């Protein structure tokens, strides 16, 4: 709305300064150009430099609501800014102009320069001719003479000039053509011209396709359908299907029996084709009393009593008259012959041999003897007999009109226990007379079906710690035989479960198939077992079948975690710590626990319940690693006590605790180097220190002897290698030595761990203190506290030679 007001105000302002308007600039462009399409270069047409467009504040003004053009001030090009539809803007005007003004500010003399611009929108052929309706209907009488004209509705094309409708066409036919005329305004009108006479009886309707075509490029067209209905005139007489109709009827046919239906057709339509049937005057009154002709349907029916001995043939003259204003008549003859009827049906006489037959009876077993008679003569006395073909029985002819019924196939009581056999006999009459009787034959059972389990194998999921004697499952076997042949008993076949008979674990009810556990199962001892169940019927010889029952024991959280490392005594363990090697995050020890359960029941977590100094140690929730949070200081007490709780993830959760005491040993390396005048009291030199001095002294001696021996051997083998071998041997491999520092493996260390158990020996690095001259013994520690031993890179090459 604001843009409209602004444009209106600008237009009024331009009217006020219309004396500044210069000559008009004109462009021509086709409609439907894309956004940004080139229209013209206003800078060249106004003979302005490009820089003047911005300096003089060039502006495009139009009184249209939509701004179809814009000017690029960078190059002076006028381009399309909005899709232009000529038919929407100018309708069907022969010329279509879009006018706007170019406004330039002139700071030196006149305040404004206005240059009118007119853009002619050229029509393109973007619209097809179109009829108002897709289908038109006309009614033309078949009596209208050729040359008659019928105006048709013209097509509409929004385009102009050569792009509008220029011609009409119709599909090829021999009756109609087109008459196209040009009006004063240049538009085309079209008429339908009848060129040949119409005959409704030959072709009652015409379907024509009218096409309107323009002269645009590309050429476009539109179509509509013309449905012409030819109106009838009564110019045809009725015609019967046959000149002579022949029919036969039985002599004892009841009243109302249809003899024949005659039919005539009139090629006219409407009331001119409506017919009325009747007997002609040549038909006597006697015949009219025997037969009746329906005036509308043409049905001839029996009306009296027919007697073959009185007359065997009747001739009936019939006519059909239409209901036109001048009625036209058609004639025909009906010949009716009487038929001597077959009025006696065959008789069946059966002698039943067996009403019950065993299902294992062989084919050919006689069931019944049948005799058929008919008192009629000739073809009427010729009798045929049959039974259904889809049963395991058949008829065998013995003498004339004598049969025996025998089995034809293997019988199966389980499929069909009873047969109701229909025996039919018919004579040679037309239509034949039929007689039927039914005999019931039952099939007695034999033991020919073994019991069958509902499944070949069953899976039973049983929670451990079950109650002995309780039912754990039930199997079912079905026997399709009857009575004693179908009674099933169940048993468990002998097989071994952990070298024990299956009967020691489970038992089965022989009548209903219920399986009972005889003991309480423990998942940790027996996770699953398999038994074989047999179903057997109660006849001799018996038939049987077997099925496999897989009993899967489900774990229950019935085992508490067991702490296996470090070794505990009465749920207590002791660990010694050298304070000089402790740093934040130092692994003091690892609590390892095992749970005999499985799954979530064996998923363990570790918690710190109590601690002498809660701020000194942390416990890994899932790893059980006990690490220090800081270095040990002199003020810390000598013994730290931790209470560790190990808990599984079962429901309900089970747990166990252990108390670990940490003894913080003195730094003997530092204390032995101190020289004091005060004599050392014997109470401070504990037995542990004596053992450490002895062990470390022995180790140092053995290590020194080994080094000297290796140097001598190496020197003798290759003096050159001895020269290169100048580095200090720091690590060596120890394996299978009774004197080595043995690592005690944790009990069941591989429980609940997927990694392989380390079986090879350990390597150590001999680490000398910087003040080893003041040290009485050495500390041994692994080369790397976290890497696996098989990942260490330092090896004793001489030891492998």
């Amino acid at each position: 709305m604001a843009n409209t007001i602004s444009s209106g105000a600008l237009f009024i302002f331009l009217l006020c300064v219309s004396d500044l308007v210069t000559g008009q600039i004109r462009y021509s462009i086709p409609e439907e150009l894309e956004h940004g399409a080139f229209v013209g270069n206003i800078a060249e047409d106004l003979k302005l430099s490009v820089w003047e467009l911005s300096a003089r504040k060039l502006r495009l003004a139009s009184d249209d609501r939509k701004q179809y053009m814009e000017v690029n001030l960078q190059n002076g090009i006028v381009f399309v800014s909005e899709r232009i539809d000529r038919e929407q803007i100018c309708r069907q005007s022969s010329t279509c102009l879009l006018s706007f003004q170019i406004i330039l500010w002139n700071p030196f003399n006149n305040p404004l320069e206005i240059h009118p611009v007119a853009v002619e929108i050229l029509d393109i052929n973007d619209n097809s001719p179109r009829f108002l309706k897709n289908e038109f209907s006309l009614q033309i009488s078949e009596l209208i003479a050729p040359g008659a004209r019928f105006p048709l509705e013209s097509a509409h094309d929004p385009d102009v000039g050569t792009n509008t409708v220029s011609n009409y066409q119709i599909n090829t036919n021999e009756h109609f053509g087109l008459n196209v005329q040009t009006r004063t305004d240049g538009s085309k009108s079209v008429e339908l011209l009848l060129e040949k006479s119409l005959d409704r009886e030959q072709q009652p309707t015409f379907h024509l396709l009218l096409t309107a075509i323009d002269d645009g490029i590309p050429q476009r067209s539109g179509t509509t359908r013309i449905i012409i209905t030819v109106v009838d005139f009564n110019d045809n007489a009725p015609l019967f299907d046959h000149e002579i109709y022949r029919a036969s009827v039985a002599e004892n046919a009841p009243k109302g029996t249809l003899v024949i239906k005659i039919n005539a057709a009139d090629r006219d339509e409407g009331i001119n084709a409506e017919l009325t049937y009747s007997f002609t005057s040549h038909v006597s009154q006697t015949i009219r009393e025997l037969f009746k002709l329906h005036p509308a349907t043409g049905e001839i029916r029996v009306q009296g009593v027919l007697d073959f001995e009185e007359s065997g043939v009747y001739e009936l003259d019939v006519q059909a008259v239409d209901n036109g204003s001048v009625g036209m008549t058609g004639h025909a003859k009906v010949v009716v012959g009487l038929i001597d009827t077959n009025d006696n049906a065959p008789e069946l006489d059966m002698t039943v041999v067996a009403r019950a037959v065993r299902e294992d009876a062989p084919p050919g077993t006689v069931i019944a003897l049948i005799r058929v008679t008919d008192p009629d003569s000739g073809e009427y006395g010729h009798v045929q007999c049959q039974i259904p073909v889809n049963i395991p029985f058949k008829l065998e002819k013995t003498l004339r009109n004598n049969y025996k019924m025998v089995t034809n196939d293997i019988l199966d009581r389980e499929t069909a226990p009873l047969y109701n056999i229909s025996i039919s006999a018919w004579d040679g009459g037309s239509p034949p007379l039929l007689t039927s009787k039914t005999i019931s034959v039952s099939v007695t059972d034999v033991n020919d079906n073994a019991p069958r389990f509902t499944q070949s194998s069953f899976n039973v999921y049983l929670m451990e710690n079950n109650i002995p004697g309780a039912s754990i499952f039930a199997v079912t076997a079905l026997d399709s035989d009857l009575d004693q042949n179908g009674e099933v008993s169940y048993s468990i076949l002998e097989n071994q479960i952990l070298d024990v008979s299956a009967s020691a674990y489970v038992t089965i009810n022989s009548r209903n198939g219920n399986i009972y556990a005889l003991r309480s199962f423990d998942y940790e001892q027996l996770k699953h077992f398999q038994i074989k169940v047999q179903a057997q019927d109660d006849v001799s010889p018996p038939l049987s079948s077997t099925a496999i029952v897989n009993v899967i024991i489900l774990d229950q959280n019935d085992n508490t975690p067991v702490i296996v490392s470090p070794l505990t005594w009465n749920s207590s363990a002791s660990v010694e710590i050298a304070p000089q090697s402790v740093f934040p995050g130092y692994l003091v020890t690892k609590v390892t626990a095992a749970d005999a359960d499985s799954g979530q029941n064996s998923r363990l977590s570790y918690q710190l319940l109590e601690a002498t100094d809660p701020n000194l140690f942390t416990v890994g929730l899932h790893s059980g690693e006990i690490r220090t949070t800081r270095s040990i200081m002199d003020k810390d007490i000598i013994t730290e006590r931790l209470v560790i709780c190990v808990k599984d993830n079962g429901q309900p959760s089970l747990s166990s605790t252990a108390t670990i005491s940490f003894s913080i040993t003195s730094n003997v390396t530092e204390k032995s180097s101190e020289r004091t005048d005060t004599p050392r009291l014997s109470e401070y030199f504990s037995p542990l220190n004596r053992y450490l001095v002895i062990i470390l002294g022995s180790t140092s001696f053995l290590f020194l002897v080994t080094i000297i021996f290796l140097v001598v051997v190496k020197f003798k083998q290759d003096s050159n290698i001895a020269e290169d071998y100048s580095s200090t041997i720091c690590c060596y491999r120890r394996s299978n030595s009774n004197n080595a520092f043995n690592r005690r493996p944790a009990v069941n260390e591989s429980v609940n761990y997927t990694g392989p158990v380390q079986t090879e020996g350990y390597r150590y690095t001999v680490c000398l203190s910087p003040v080893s001259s003041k040290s009485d013994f050495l500390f041994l520690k692994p080369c790397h506290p976290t890497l696996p031993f098989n990942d260490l890179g330092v090896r004793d090459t001489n030891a492998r030679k």
Side-chain angles (χ1 to χ4, degrees):
M1 186 65 183
N3 291 337
T4 304
I5 297 174
S6 175
S7 299
L10 179 61
F11 181 72
I12 296 172
F13 176 72
L14 293 177
L15 291 177
C16 298
V17 293
S18 59
D19 58 324
L20 301 178
V21 175
T22 62
Q24 187 181 51
I25 300 172
R26 190 180 183 92
Y27 299 113
S28 295
I29 61 171
E31 62 174 327
E32 303 291 348
L33 289 179
E34 296 180 355
H35 181 276
F38 177 82
V39 178
N41 193 321
I42 197 67
E44 292 180 357
D45 295 336
L46 294 179
K47 296 180 176 55
L48 296 174
S49 299
V50 176
W51 64 268
E52 291 184 83
L53 301 179
S54 300
R56 299 184 63 178
K57 300 180 181 178
L58 183 144
R59 184 178 178 185
L60 188 150
S62 173
D63 57 351
D64 292 331
R65 289 187 177 184
K66 285 188 177 181
Q67 191 76 23
Y68 292 99
M69 310 288 175
E70 290 186 8
V71 179
N72 188 339
L73 299 180
Q74 303 297 324
N75 51 25
I77 291 176
V78 180
F79 61 90
V80 176
S81 63
E82 186 78 24
R83 174 181 169 273
I84 300 175
D85 187 354
R86 185 186 186 282
E87 289 75 29
Q88 183 179 2
I89 298 173
C90 302
R91 303 296 178 186
Q92 286 191 295
S93 176
S94 59
T95 58
C96 183
L97 295 176
L98 286 179
S99 300
F100 57 89
Q101 292 81 32
I102 298 296
I103 304 171
L104 293 170
W105 291 86
N106 192 339
F108 300 105
N109 40 35
N110 292 330
L112 285 176
E113 285 186 14
I114 300 175
H115 300 275
V117 180
V119 180
E120 182 180 5
I121 308 302
L122 302 178
D123 183 44
I124 63 173
N125 193 23
D126 58 341
N127 292 280
S128 299
R130 190 174 183 181
F131 289 93
L132 183 61
K133 295 190 293 185
N134 294 329
E135 184 177 287
F136 297 94
S137 298
L138 289 177
Q139 288 188 344
I140 303 175
S141 173
E142 64 178 334
L143 295 179
I144 293 180
R149 297 181 180 182
F150 305 93
L152 300 177
E153 183 174 341
S154 301
H156 174 69
D157 193 332
D159 297 324
V160 297
T162 60
N163 294 330
T164 191
V165 177
S166 62
N167 196 14
Y168 291 89
Q169 294 178 355
I170 199 170
N171 58 310
T172 305
N173 67 96
E174 60 179 350
H175 291 276
F176 296 96
L178 291 179
N179 181 27
V180 181
Q181 297 179 351
T182 304
R183 297 177 179 172
T184 55
D185 60 354
S187 62
K188 302 291 182 180
S189 63
V190 61
E191 295 176 334
L192 186 67
L193 178 65
L194 179 63
E195 297 177 344
K196 184 178 178 181
S197 297
L198 302 176
D199 187 354
R200 191 205 64 78
E201 287 72 33
Q202 292 183 358
Q203 188 171 355
T205 58
F206 293 87
H207 295 268
L208 305 179
L209 187 66
L210 179 64
T211 304
I213 306 171
D214 62 23
D215 283 341
I217 299 175
Q219 194 176 58
R220 293 177 177 270
S221 63
T223 61
T224 185
R225 290 183 297 171
I226 302 175
I227 300 177
I228 300 174
T229 303
V230 181
V231 181
D232 182 49
F233 180 77
N234 192 23
D235 55 349
N236 293 280
L239 292 175
F240 281 94
D241 296 341
H242 307 281
E243 290 185 4
I244 299 176
Y245 291 90
R246 298 186 183 274
S248 299
V249 63
E251 62 174 329
N252 56 356
K255 184 179 180 180
T257 299
L258 177 65
V259 178
I260 194 172
K261 181 178 181 180
I262 59 176
N263 182 64
D266 194 323
R267 298 177 62 189
D268 296 324
E269 68 176 2
I271 62 172
N272 296 329
E274 295 177 0
L275 304 179
T276 301
Y277 300 96
S278 62
F279 292 121
T280 66
S281 58
H282 297 97
V283 179
S284 65
Q285 184 62 31
T286 303
I287 296 177
R288 291 174 186 265
E289 293 176 355
L290 297 177
F291 299 97
K292 180 181 180 181
L293 175 59
H294 195 282
T297 63
E299 294 178 346
I300 299 177
R301 295 182 178 273
V302 175
Q303 185 172 249
V305 178
L306 302 178
D307 188 357
F308 178 81
E309 287 70 28
E310 183 178 338
S311 176
V313 177
Y314 294 93
E315 290 188 2
L316 311 177
D317 294 312
V318 295
Q319 64 182 6
V321 182
D322 63 28
N323 294 334
S325 57
V326 179
M328 304 190 74
T329 306
H331 296 87
K333 180 180 287 187
V334 179
V335 178
V336 180
L338 299 186
I339 302 172
D340 192 9
T341 61
N342 176 27
D343 53 354
N344 291 286
E347 295 179 0
L348 285 172
D349 184 17
M350 289 191 302
T351 302
V352 179
V353 176
R355 293 191 179 273
V357 59
R358 286 171 55 91
E359 63 177 325
D360 58 351
T365 301
V366 178
I367 304 300
L369 299 176
I370 303 169
R371 185 171 181 270
V372 185
T373 59
D374 193 325
D376 291 328
S377 60
E379 287 297 324
Y380 299 149
H382 181 71
V383 181
Q384 296 182 9
C385 187
Q386 75 171 17
I387 61 175
V389 296
N390 56 346
I391 58 175
F393 300 92
K394 68 178 181 178
L395 288 179
E396 293 182 353
K397 194 170 185 178
T398 56
L399 299 174
R400 185 178 183 272
N401 293 340
N402 285 269
Y403 302 87
K404 66 177 180 180
M405 186 171 67
V406 299
T407 58
N408 188 39
D409 202 348
I410 300 299
L411 303 179
D412 186 3
R413 189 209 61 81
E414 289 72 32
T415 304
L418 178 66
Y419 292 92
N420 291 314
I421 305 171
S422 176
I423 304 171
S424 302
W426 66 95
D427 58 23
S430 180
L433 297 179
L434 177 70
T435 299
S436 63
K437 286 187 177 182
T438 301
I439 178 174
S440 296
V441 179
S442 60
V443 182
T444 59
D445 186 46
V446 297
N447 188 30
D448 58 346
N449 291 281
R452 291 187 178 275
F453 285 94
T454 55
Q455 296 175 215
S456 60
S457 65
F458 302 88
N459 291 329
V460 181
Y461 296 91
L462 178 63
M463 188 68 68
E464 65 172 329
N465 302 320
N466 58 295
I467 301 174
S471 175
I472 62 172
F473 194 64
V475 294
T476 302
L478 303 176
D479 193 326
S480 52
D481 292 326
L482 278 180
D483 302 329
Q484 189 176 1
N485 297 333
E487 293 181 1
V488 180
S489 61
Y490 302 91
S491 62
I492 295 177
L493 298 181
E494 187 65 28
N495 67 309
Q496 298 293 315
I497 303 174
L498 296 180
D499 298 330
V500 179
S501 174
S503 59
Y505 287 86
V506 292
T507 186
I508 189 169
N509 188 309
S510 62
R511 286 295 127 195
N512 57 27
N514 283 339
I515 300 175
Y516 301 91
L518 296 179
R519 61 174 63 184
S520 179
F521 295 102
D522 187 356
Y523 173 83
E524 288 72 33
Q525 294 181 3
L526 180 63
K527 292 181 173 54
H528 64 85
F529 61 90
Q530 189 179 89
I531 59 174
K532 184 180 289 187
V533 180
Q534 176 181 268
Q536 178 178 287
D537 54 30
D538 291 343
V539 294
S540 181
L543 300 177
S544 64
S545 63
T546 60
I548 301 299
V549 179
N550 297 303
V551 181
I552 302 167
I553 310 300
L554 301 179
D555 183 41
Q556 196 176 45
N557 192 24
D558 57 347
N559 291 281
T560 59
V562 177
I563 298 175
V564 297
S565 177
L567 289 178
T568 60
W569 178 259
N570 291 334
S571 299
S572 298
S574 298
V575 177
E576 294 185 354
I577 304 176
Q580 66 278 5
S581 60
V582 174
F583 52 87
Y586 173 76
L587 177 62
V588 178
T589 186
K590 179 178 180 180
V591 178
T592 304
D595 195 320
D597 294 322
S598 64
Q600 290 294 325
N601 296 332
S602 64
R603 185 179 177 183
L604 304 180
S605 59
Y606 302 84
Q607 295 179 351
L608 180 61
L609 296 182
E610 297 180 12
T612 307
D613 187 353
N615 298 323
L616 184 57
F617 298 98
T618 61
V619 178
L621 178 62
H622 299 294
S623 64
E625 294 178 346
I626 300 178
R627 296 179 179 271
T628 58
T629 59
R630 57 179 174 79
S631 300
I632 296 178
M633 297 178 291
D634 294 339
K635 65 180 182 179
D636 293 322
I637 61 177
I638 296 177
T639 301
E640 292 285 342
R641 177 178 171 274
L642 301 182
V643 178
I644 307 298
C645 176
V646 183
K647 183 168 60 175
D648 60 26
N649 201 37
Q651 294 295 332
S653 177
L654 301 178
S655 63
S656 60
T657 59
T659 302
I660 303 177
S661 299
F662 295 95
S663 299
I664 302 175
T665 60
S666 302
N667 191 342
V668 296
T669 303
E670 294 295 330
K671 290 186 178 182
S672 63
S673 64
E674 295 179 359
R675 297 293 183 263
T676 60
D677 296 333
T678 305
R680 193 179 303 268
L681 297 178
S682 59
E683 61 183 354
Y684 294 105
F685 195 73
S686 65
L688 177 62
N689 292 338
R690 292 192 185 94
Y691 295 148
L692 288 175
V693 170
I694 295 172
I695 292 172
L696 293 176
S698 302
T699 303
S700 300
F701 176 75
L702 291 175
F703 179 72
L704 182 60
V705 171
T706 303
I707 294 298
I708 295 173
F709 175 75
L710 292 175
V711 170
V712 171
V713 172
K714 191 65 177 178
F715 179 80
K716 290 182 178 181
Q717 289 180 347
D718 191 350
S719 59
N720 293 330
I721 297 177
E723 291 177 1
D724 296 333
Y725 193 82
S726 59
S727 61
T728 304
I729 298 176
C730 195
C731 299
Y732 66 94
R733 182 171 183 170
R734 309 200 46 181
S735 62
N736 300 326
S737 174
N738 295 328
N739 297 326
F741 288 90
N742 293 326
R743 178 178 177 266
R744 182 179 59 201
V747 179
N748 297 332
E749 189 174 358
S750 61
V751 175
N752 296 326
Y753 289 91
T754 59
V757 179
Q758 300 291 341
T759 58
E760 57 181 75
Y762 306 111
R763 303 186 200 93
Y764 296 90
T765 299
V766 179
C767 301
L768 303 180
S769 173
V771 288
S772 59
S773 60
K774 300 185 291 181
S775 178
D776 295 334
F777 58 92
L778 304 176
F779 294 100
L780 301 182
K781 65 179 180 180
C783 292
H784 196 289
T786 60
L787 292 177
F789 292 106
N790 55 3
D791 291 340
L792 295 178
V794 180
R795 288 174 172 80
D796 184 1
T797 58
N798 290 332
R800 297 194 175 198
K801 289 187 177 181

